[in-house]
């Protein structure tokens, strides 16, 4: 065996890949030629046998080959291990081999893997390396142990060049402003509702007016799991039941105006009646996502936190939820006696409220919106009656809502825009709203399409979870849906509600797949809202189609916007987020210098609107007052708009001018890039979790979804495997390579888990902070954890 044939005596190769943002350091000459022309596998066997006995690995049963990673070839070694080997011995052996090869030969291995005996393909008694490499690449090589060493092996990761931060084109020097178009856009003026006008100061009064004047017109209907829709509430019947709920809360709960009440009810008509019954009594409702047999372990702690933070004096719930909370399985997660009294909405009597509460001013709090962001932060925002009325006017105007209009909602109305559309819009505008429970879609995936087709609806609202369910369960059923007569050609607006960047990786295939049903891609759009304002962007009817752009992902790490052509490597697809609601003004601001930026520059989105939230719940002390001023009363420096007060969204985005015009005015488009709090800072660059997760989801066919977070300055990747019978170890190198190739970042820990392990909120957004807490507290129960060296 010729040891000198693999002696590292090759020359270095200068790498000249540079641009304005990156400097690529020198890298070693690729080992590919050396591996092919030498007995490198024999060399590895000799080294491994030198440090270990034959009782652990089989002699001559080692495959050594190279794989291309980041413009170079990386060496992998796969050995057959004896059946009686133990896990601790295996990892000790792999670590020792990696160190020995590095020390003796000056070569860093990309990974060492172990398989069971007779697993490697053979030809004429010898290991057939080409076939072994093929099986490794397609994931069919059943691995027993794996040790990846990307941190040691990959030394040619491009280094970011940080440029001095610009003060922004609107920064003034000596009173002069640079001649750059500022990143500012405005919605159309709000047109008052002629019938309602300014005569009413609260949503309870609006319901009273609607039930009296248009009491016979339908407001809400519900659909069962088979698609059968029953008319349940007209304006008059909703008013009557809300009055009965108010009377029950007053007599049974002893509640008075100003009290805070938690609504722990499933989506549906009882929730709507409970909400308006609270308003008619002058209570301040807090809508909480309902407990089910599937979510109680993750939801009950959140409910307890909301009850404590909001200081709710009672909980209006249903008989089935009370039985669920008192069950043995759920009661182990909390002490029910520490909660406020439970009031069963099914116990309401026939008595109606004698005198309805009329708020003296519209500035009083209507409800408190508690939401959990994608970073896992629970925040309560106070929404006034004025906020509600202004949103309803804006939404009615942009979506042309009227009593002849039908909408289909398949939402979790626990927070944000979903809550506002579910509970407010129909009562204000009078349109007929058909409600579908999100869990019914799991039993009948075609339910949503069936209801849309049956009622020839022109508008619908859903979440990303609904889109994913349809893609997963109906991808091969389009022909069957056509044969059943489902036709979506009447649908003019399909709005996906979510507090994040539009997820084009699932919206695009959704539009292509169901175009056969008559669904127009022009009808699909997204909305945008945040903690300070839940309804900033909503696409209305007959408005310009959202536009799409491809951005350079490498420039985006440096907070720069660089538009590229479709198909360019390292590009990210973005779509504009609906249209600004009437009465909304948005500017893009440098969050550090607080100066206005120009069109096409990335900065924080600040917003002015009459339906901006009043403030965070719990304001009172000096520290909280400072936080309130920071988020709801921010001012721009060096500008004549300094006297205006903006609410800070906490999201990064940019504005560009469109090519089309609307009523003689140039149309501008708002693009959402990502949350500031949710972004990851690794190696002096900003990474957006969604981009990394998209790369992980694409890299292996067995991965259903994934989530990333930062832990101890390391990138942790959690990936859900399709099923238990798939090989979890084959996923690890694919994830590692994908992140290195596409984002120049090396994961420190890769965790493989079962399906439905990664927590999501009611909008279908990943709860990364909850996932991180579960991982650090060793409560994740993973299939496999790989620590990359």
């Amino acid at each position: 065996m010729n040891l000198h044939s693999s002696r590292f005596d090759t020359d270095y190769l200068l790498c000249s890949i540079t641009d304005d943002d990156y400097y690529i350091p020198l890298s070693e000459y690729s080992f590919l030629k050396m591996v092919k022309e030498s007995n490198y596998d024999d060399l590895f066997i000799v080294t491994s046998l030198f440090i270990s006995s034959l009782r652990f690995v089989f002699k001559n049963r080692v495959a050594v080959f190279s794989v291309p990673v980041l413009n170079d070839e990386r060496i992998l070694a796969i050995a057959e291990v004896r059946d009686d080997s133990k896990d601790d011995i295996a990892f000790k052996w792999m670590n020792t081999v990696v160190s020995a090869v590095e020390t003796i030969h000056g070569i860093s291995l990309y990974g060492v893997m172990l398989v069971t005996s007779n697993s490697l393909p053979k030809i004429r008694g010898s290991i057939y390396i080409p076939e072994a490499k093929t099986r490794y690449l397609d994931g069919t090589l059943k691995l027993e142990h794996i040790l990846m060493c990307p941190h040691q092996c990959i030394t040619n990761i491009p280094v970011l060049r940080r440029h001095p931060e610009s003060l922004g084109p609107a920064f003034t020097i000596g009173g002069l402003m640079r001649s750059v178009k500022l990143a500012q856009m405005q919605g159309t003026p709000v047109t008052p509702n002629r019938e309602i006008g300014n005569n009413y100061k609260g949503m309870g009064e609006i319901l009273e007016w609607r039930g009296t004047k248009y009491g016979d017109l339908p407001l809400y209907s519900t659909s069962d799991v088979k698609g059968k829709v029953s008319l349940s509430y007209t304006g008059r019947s909703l008013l009557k039941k809300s009055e009965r709920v108010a009377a029950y809360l007053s007599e049974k709960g002893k509640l008075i105006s100003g009290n805070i009440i938690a609504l722990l009810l499933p989506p549906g008509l009882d929730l709507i009646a409970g909400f308006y019954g609270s308003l008619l009594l002058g209570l301040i409702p807090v809508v909480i996502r309902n407990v089910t047999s599937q979510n109680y372990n993750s939801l009950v702690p959140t409910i307890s936190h909301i009850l404590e933070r909001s200081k709710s004096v009672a909980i209006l719930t249903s008989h089935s939820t009370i039985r669920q909370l008192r069950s043995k399985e759920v009661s182990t997660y909390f002490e029910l006696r520490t909660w406020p009294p439970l009031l069963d909405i099914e116990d309401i009597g026939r008595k109606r409220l004698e005198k309805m509460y009329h708020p003296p001013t519209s500035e009083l709090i209507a409800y408190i919106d508690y939401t959990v962001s994608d970073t896992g932060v629970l925040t309560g925002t106070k929404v006034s009656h004025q906020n509600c009325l202004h949103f309803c006017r804006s939404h009615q105007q942009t979506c042309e809502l009227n009593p002849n209009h039908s909408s289909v909602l398949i939402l979790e109305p626990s927070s944000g825009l979903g809550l506002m559309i579910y509970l407010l819009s129909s009562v204000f505008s009078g349109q007929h709203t058909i409600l579908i429970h999100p869990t019914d879609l799991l039993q009948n995936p075609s339910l949503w399409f069936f209801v849309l087709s049956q009622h020839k609806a022109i508008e619908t609202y859903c979440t990303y979870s609904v889109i994913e369910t349809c893609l997963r369960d109906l991808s091969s059923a389009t022909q069957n849906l056509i044969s059943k007569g489902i036709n979506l050609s009447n649908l003019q607006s399909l709005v996906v509600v979510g507090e994040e960047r539009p997820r084009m990786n699932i919206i695009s295939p959704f539009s292509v797949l169901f175009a056969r049903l008559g669904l127009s891609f022009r009808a699909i759009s997204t909305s945008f809202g945040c903690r300070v304002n839940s309804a900033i962007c909503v696409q209305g009817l007959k408005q310009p189609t959202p536009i799409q752009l491809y951005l350079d992902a490498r420039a985006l790490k440096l907070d720069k916007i660089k538009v590229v052509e479709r198909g360019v490597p390292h590009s990210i697809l973005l779509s504009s987020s609906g249209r600004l609601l009437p009465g909304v003004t948005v500017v893009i601001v440098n969050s550090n210098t607080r100066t206005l930026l120009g069109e096409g520059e990335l900065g924080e989105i600040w917003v002015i609107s009459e339906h901006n939230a009043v403030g965070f719940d719990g304001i009172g002390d000096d520290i909280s007052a400072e936080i309130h001023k920071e988020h709801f009363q921010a001012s721009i420096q060096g500008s004549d708009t300094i006297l205006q007060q903006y609410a800070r969204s906490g999201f990064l985005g940019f504005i560009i001018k469109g090519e089309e015009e609307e009523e003689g005015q140039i149309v501008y488009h708002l693009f959402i890039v990502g949350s500031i709090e949710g972004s990851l800072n690794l190696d002096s660059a900003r990474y957006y979790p969604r981009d990394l997760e998209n790369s992980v989801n694409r890299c292996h066919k067995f991965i259903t979804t994934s989530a990333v977070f930062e832990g101890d300055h390391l990138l942790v990747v959690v990936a859900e495997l399709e099923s238990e019978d798939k090989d979890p170890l084959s996923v690890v190198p694919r994830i590692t390579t994908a992140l290195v190739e596409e984002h120049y970042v090396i994961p420190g820990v890769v965790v493989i888990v079962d399906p439905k392990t990664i927590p999501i909120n009611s909008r279908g957004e990943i709860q990364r902070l909850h996932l991180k807490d579960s991982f650090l507290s060793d409560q994740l129960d993973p299939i496999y954890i790989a620590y990359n060296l």
Side-chain angles (χ1 to χ4, degrees):
M1 195 170 295
N2 184 6
L3 296 181
H4 294 287
S5 63
S6 296
R7 183 168 51 88
F8 182 70
D9 55 4
T10 56
D11 298 328
Y12 288 97
L13 176 66
L14 295 179
C15 186
S16 60
I17 305 176
T18 59
D19 58 27
D20 293 337
D21 299 325
Y22 289 91
Y23 166 68
I24 314 268
L26 297 179
S27 68
E28 297 178 354
Y29 184 76
S30 172
F31 295 118
L32 178 60
K33 184 178 180 180
M34 180 171 55
V35 172
K36 288 183 176 180
E37 296 182 356
S38 67
N39 296 323
Y40 198 75
D41 52 345
D42 293 338
L43 172 63
F44 180 84
I45 295 172
V46 171
T47 304
S48 63
L49 295 181
F50 176 75
I51 63 172
S52 179
S53 66
L54 286 173
R55 289 178 296 179
F56 184 72
V57 296
F58 290 94
K59 183 179 179 181
N60 296 330
R61 294 190 187 178
V62 177
V64 180
F65 52 84
S66 64
V67 291
V69 180
L70 198 61
N71 305 311
D72 209 341
E73 294 290 330
R74 317 294 174 176
I75 299 177
L76 285 171
I78 304 178
E80 288 188 2
V81 65
R82 296 183 181 274
D83 297 334
D84 58 350
S85 62
K86 298 181 179 179
D87 292 350
D88 55 342
I89 299 177
F91 284 103
K92 182 179 179 181
W93 184 86
M94 289 189 293
N95 271 289
T96 308
V97 168
V98 170
S99 300
V101 172
E102 172 75 27
T103 302
I104 299 173
H105 308 290
I107 298 172
S108 296
L109 296 176
Y110 186 51
V112 180
M113 305 172 190
L114 299 178
V115 296
T116 57
S117 58
N118 297 317
S119 295
L120 292 175
K122 300 176 180 64
I123 183 171
R124 291 191 294 272
S126 300
I127 301 298
Y128 187 40
I129 293 180
E131 177 63 20
K133 181 177 180 178
T134 300
R135 292 187 185 181
Y136 160 78
L137 292 175
D138 62 21
T140 58
L141 192 63
K142 187 72 173 179
L143 303 176
E144 290 293 315
H145 302 286
I146 183 172
L147 179 64
M148 300 296 296
C149 312
H151 290 90
Q152 297 180 195
C153 178
I154 302 176
T155 59
N156 62 328
I157 289 183
V159 179
L160 285 167
R161 282 178 171 168
R162 274 284 173 184
H163 300 280
E165 187 173 22
S166 171
L167 294 177
F171 185 74
T172 58
I173 302 177
L176 298 178
M177 185 175 292
R178 303 179 189 178
S179 58
V180 176
K181 179 63 178 178
L182 300 181
Q184 180 175 348
M185 58 188 297
Q186 296 179 333
T188 58
V190 178
T191 302
N193 186 302
R194 293 182 179 180
E195 283 193 295
I196 297 177
N198 296 318
N199 300 322
Y200 303 102
K201 297 182 175 64
M203 289 302 301
E205 293 178 309
I206 298 294
L207 175 61
E208 186 180 3
W209 167 80
R210 175 74 58 191
T212 302
K213 189 170 183 178
Y214 299 100
D216 295 331
L217 295 179
L219 280 185
Y220 288 100
S221 299
T222 58
S223 170
D224 60 19
V225 69
K226 295 182 179 180
K228 183 180 179 181
V229 175
S230 59
L231 178 63
S232 296
Y233 278 161
T234 61
R236 182 178 293 109
S237 60
L238 175 58
L239 176 60
K240 288 182 178 179
K241 184 164 185 178
S242 298
E243 289 176 332
R244 292 165 54 201
V245 171
Y248 171 73
L249 295 176
S250 177
E251 292 189 1
K252 177 71 174 179
K254 308 299 181 183
L255 304 179
I256 59 175
S257 62
N259 287 160
I260 299 175
I261 182 172
L263 305 183
L264 190 60
L265 294 163
L269 301 175
D270 280 347
L271 174 62
I272 299 170
F275 180 82
Y276 281 98
S278 302
L279 296 184
L280 294 179
L281 191 59
L283 306 179
I284 302 175
V286 177
V287 180
I288 302 176
R289 188 179 181 186
N290 194 44
V291 178
T292 66
S293 57
Q294 290 79 29
N295 65 11
Y296 64 85
N297 56 344
S298 61
L299 193 57
V300 165
T302 302
I303 296 176
S304 298
H305 196 185
I306 293 176
L307 295 174
E308 181 181 356
R309 286 272 303 274
S310 65
K311 297 180 174 57
S312 300
V313 298
I315 302 173
L316 181 63
T317 185
S318 63
H319 185 71
S320 59
T321 300
I322 293 175
R323 187 171 62 250
Q324 182 79 25
L325 291 172
R326 290 174 177 170
S327 65
K328 184 177 180 181
E329 295 81 4
V330 180
S331 60
T332 58
Y333 287 85
F334 73 109
E335 295 184 3
L336 188 59
R337 65 176 181 270
T338 63
W339 282 20
L342 300 176
L343 302 176
D344 192 343
I345 196 171
E346 298 173 23
D347 290 341
I348 63 173
R350 307 292 300 178
K351 186 176 181 180
R352 294 164 59 181
L353 190 66
E354 296 180 359
K355 183 179 180 181
M356 285 181 280
Y357 172 82
H358 293 166
T361 173
S362 61
E363 296 178 353
L364 294 180
I365 304 302
Y367 66 93
I368 303 177
D369 183 356
Y370 274 91
T371 181
V372 180
S373 67
D374 60 354
T375 59
V377 178
L378 176 66
T379 305
T381 52
K382 297 184 289 187
V383 181
S384 69
H385 289 280
Q386 179 179 340
N387 298 150
C388 296
L389 294 173
H390 188 271
F391 161 76
C392 289
R393 294 189 191 100
S394 299
H395 189 226
Q396 181 183 35
Q397 180 176 331
T398 196
C399 295
E400 305 176 16
L401 304 178
N402 58 72
N404 298 320
H405 188 111
S406 293
S407 296
V408 177
L409 305 185
I410 181 165
L411 298 168
E412 278 281 359
S414 56
S415 63
L417 179 60
L419 184 153
M420 302 179 84
I421 294 175
Y422 205 97
L423 299 176
L424 305 180
S425 289
S426 191
V427 171
F428 185 92
S429 303
Q431 80 272 14
H432 180 206
T433 300
I434 303 170
L435 308 176
I436 301 177
H437 199 292
T439 57
D440 290 343
L441 193 68
L442 300 177
Q443 301 180 47
N444 182 7
S446 62
L447 172 63
W448 181 34
F449 291 162
F450 178 79
V451 174
L452 289 173
S453 178
Q454 183 184 34
H455 293 269
K456 297 181 179 180
I458 63 173
E459 181 185 57
T460 185
Y461 292 83
C462 68
T463 62
Y464 284 106
S465 295
V466 173
I467 299 293
E468 289 180 310
T469 300
C470 293
L471 279 174
R472 181 183 66 246
D473 298 338
L474 299 177
S475 59
S476 59
T478 53
Q479 187 59 45
N480 185 36
L481 296 177
I482 294 173
S483 64
K484 292 182 179 180
I486 292 181
N487 189 326
L488 304 181
S489 58
N490 288 311
L491 192 62
Q492 298 180 28
S493 178
L494 188 160
V495 181
V496 187
V497 176
E499 187 182 296
E500 60 180 352
R501 180 205 306 176
R503 293 163 60 178
M504 300 309 298
N505 62 308
I506 64 172
I507 293 178
S508 294
F510 177 87
S511 63
V512 173
L513 179 62
F514 298 110
R516 297 184 61 192
L517 303 179
L519 178 63
S520 171
F521 77 94
R522 294 179 180 273
I524 304 174
S525 64
T526 61
S527 64
F528 172 60
C530 57
R531 292 178 297 180
V532 298
N533 189 323
S534 298
I536 297 175
C537 293
V538 177
Q539 185 76 5
L541 302 179
K542 302 177 183 178
Q543 291 186 342
T545 306
I547 64 173
Q548 298 180 357
L549 294 176
Y550 286 88
L551 300 184
D552 186 348
R554 299 170 300 177
L556 199 59
K557 297 176 190 176
L558 297 170
D559 295 339
K560 298 200 304 183
I561 301 299
K562 183 179 179 181
V563 181
V564 296
E565 296 294 331
R566 179 180 181 179
V568 172
H570 303 284
S571 61
I572 295 175
L573 174 62
L574 260 68
S575 174
S576 57
S577 294
R579 298 297 309 282
L580 289 186
L581 281 175
V584 176
T585 298
V586 160
V587 295
I588 306 299
V589 179
N590 185 314
S591 56
N592 295 326
T593 62
R594 298 194 175 220
T595 56
L596 280 171
L597 295 174
E599 287 182 13
E601 292 188 293
L602 184 67
E604 185 179 6
I605 300 169
W606 290 16
V607 58
I608 293 178
S609 171
E610 288 189 35
H611 60 263
N612 280 354
V614 175
F616 292 136
D617 187 33
I619 299 298
D621 54 24
D622 293 338
I623 297 178
S624 296
E626 292 178 4
I627 295 175
H628 171 79
K629 184 176 181 180
E630 173 70 15
H631 287 84
F632 292 92
Q633 299 175 354
S635 299
I636 296 173
Q637 302 299 319
S639 171
D640 57 359
T641 60
I642 190 172
L643 298 179
Q644 292 181 321
Q645 293 182 339
Y646 294 82
R648 303 180 59 174
S649 71
F651 281 78
L652 293 175
F654 62 96
I655 293 172
I656 64 168
K657 181 173 64 175
E659 298 179 356
E660 71 278 9
E661 292 188 0
E662 182 180 348
E663 298 180 356
Q665 300 293 324
I666 298 176
V667 175
Y668 292 88
H669 297 270
L670 176 65
F671 288 81
I672 313 303
V673 175
S675 167
I676 296 177
E677 292 181 355
S679 60
L680 306 175
N681 292 312
L682 302 169
D683 299 327
S684 302
R686 188 193 301 275
Y687 293 87
Y688 298 95
R690 180 60 61 185
D691 297 332
L692 303 180
E693 290 159 1
N694 287 340
S695 296
V696 173
N697 297 341
R698 291 194 306 263
C699 75
H700 202 288
K701 60 183 178 180
F702 295 156
I703 297 177
T704 56
T705 189
S706 63
V708 301
F709 55 85
E710 185 181 359
D712 295 330
H713 305 291
L714 292 175
L715 178 64
V716 181
V717 181
V718 180
E720 290 185 358
L721 205 60
E722 186 178 279
S723 61
E724 295 181 358
D725 60 341
K726 306 301 182 182
D727 182 15
L729 278 70
S730 66
V731 176
V732 176
R734 299 287 283 274
I735 292 175
T736 302
T737 301
L739 292 177
V740 171
E741 289 274 6
E742 298 182 24
H743 302 282
Y744 303 150
V745 62
I746 300 176
V749 184
V750 179
V751 185
I752 310 300
V753 296
D754 291 316
K756 298 183 179 181
T757 299
I758 298 175
I760 60 174
N761 62 15
S762 59
R763 297 183 297 268
E765 298 164 348
I766 296 172
Q767 300 291 277
R768 298 179 182 89
L769 187 59
H770 290 328
L771 183 65
K772 179 179 179 180
D773 292 340
S774 299
F775 173 73
L776 295 178
S777 60
D778 198 22
Q779 297 179 352
L780 204 55
D781 191 22
I783 301 175
Y784 190 83
I785 300 180
Y787 296 92
N788 291 337
L789 297 181

